[in-house]
Amino acid sequence: MSRVTLLALQVLVAVVGLALWQLFATVPIFGHILLPPFFFSNPVDVGGQIVDWFRTGVIWKHLAITLWESILAFVIGSLGGAAVGFWFARQPIVAAVFDPYVKMANALPRVVLAPIFALWLGLGIWSKVALGFTLVFFIVFFNVYQGVKEVSATVRDNARMLGMNERQLMRHVYWPSALSWMFSSLHTSVGFAVVGAVVGEYLGSAAGLGYLIQQAEGVFDVAGVFAGMFVLSIFVILIDFGVTLVERRLLVWRPDAGEARG
């Protein structure tokens, strides 16, 4: 399937979904509105709210704050998860000792941690970054750990027979294997980084997309809530697209990555 065809199908799904939403929210079917506007709004009102935000410039400040929080959480969480995951995979004793503690930390509900981070770090950006970090870190950690552990023993032994030392093994064998797993997790981590930032803003902040959504919800502005969610979704897609570009650049040696780039 060509890229143009794929894009056309993706746009078609969005158009059909929005058209059905508009239909069920505005046109009575068998005498009843299936999606009452008070609870579901409609695409026209939501689109008008988004346009108004950008026209007046209200959204830019909130978007910039959420973007900054998300990028910090994503970068710090990804680097930390990759470094610790690689270390654990190369040090089995360390991994065995800390295994129960890692599982315990990963099992902690993040919503419970948000008020604790706000208490420790205040209502500024760092409490949101910390929450996003806890979401991103473990996703990347487990994938990098598994990626290094999944290195083919045959490839590793052949590399050693060719005279590679540990540093060369890390560069030419372990890291390429870990990168494939890491980038598969980064696409998921992008959304979680934004979720961490927005949840933190929703629970306590004076700016950000989460703050906008919380304010709209407080006055029963359903169109504003959906508008915030749509902006948030587009925001995540754009960041994920950036991750895809980096992935194609670093993993150009993979046949599928090379074909995608071509």
Side-chain angles (χ1 to χ4, degrees), residues 45-224:
D45 291 343
V46 171
Q49 180 67 75
I50 294 174
V51 170
D52 186 62
W53 279 348
F54 281 97
R55 181 180 57 81
T56 59
V58 172
I59 190 70
W60 295 113
K61 172 188 174 182
H62 301 285
L63 198 58
I65 290 173
T66 302
L67 174 63
W68 182 234
E69 292 167 349
S70 302
I71 289 176
L72 286 175
F74 179 71
V75 172
I76 298 173
S78 299
L79 292 177
V84 177
F86 191 88
W87 179 45
F88 274 34
R90 298 291 292 134
Q91 301 292 335
I93 295 178
V94 174
V97 170
F98 285 95
D99 179 68
Y101 302 104
V102 170
K103 292 177 180 177
M104 288 169 56
N106 186 42
L108 292 174
R110 304 307 191 271
V111 176
V112 175
L113 291 176
I116 296 176
F117 288 143
L119 180 64
W120 290 348
L121 304 172
L123 296 178
I125 67 168
W126 290 110
S127 58
K128 286 72 176 177
V129 172
L131 185 60
F133 170 85
T134 62
L135 292 167
V136 174
F137 175 86
F138 289 103
I139 297 174
V140 178
F141 167 80
F142 286 117
N143 276 271
V144 171
Y145 178 80
Q146 191 63 32
V148 176
K149 298 290 286 185
E150 290 289 329
V151 169
S152 170
T154 302
V155 173
R156 184 190 60 208
D157 293 341
N158 287 339
R160 284 175 174 165
M161 288 176 61
L162 292 173
M164 284 190 181
N165 54 34
E166 283 299 315
R167 182 177 180 181
Q168 291 171 325
L169 281 172
M170 282 194 293
R171 179 180 178 183
H172 298 290
V173 177
Y174 291 114
W175 270 120
S177 176
L179 279 175
S180 299
W181 286 73
M182 184 178 74
F183 274 106
S184 69
S185 68
L186 290 184
H187 292 286
T188 305
S189 300
V190 167
F192 278 101
V194 177
V195 166
V198 171
V199 169
E201 293 168 351
Y202 184 87
L203 294 176
S205 69
L209 290 178
Y211 171 80
L212 273 185
I213 294 173
Q214 192 271 339
Q215 290 295 302
E217 185 182 275
V219 295
F220 299 100
D221 179 9
V222 181

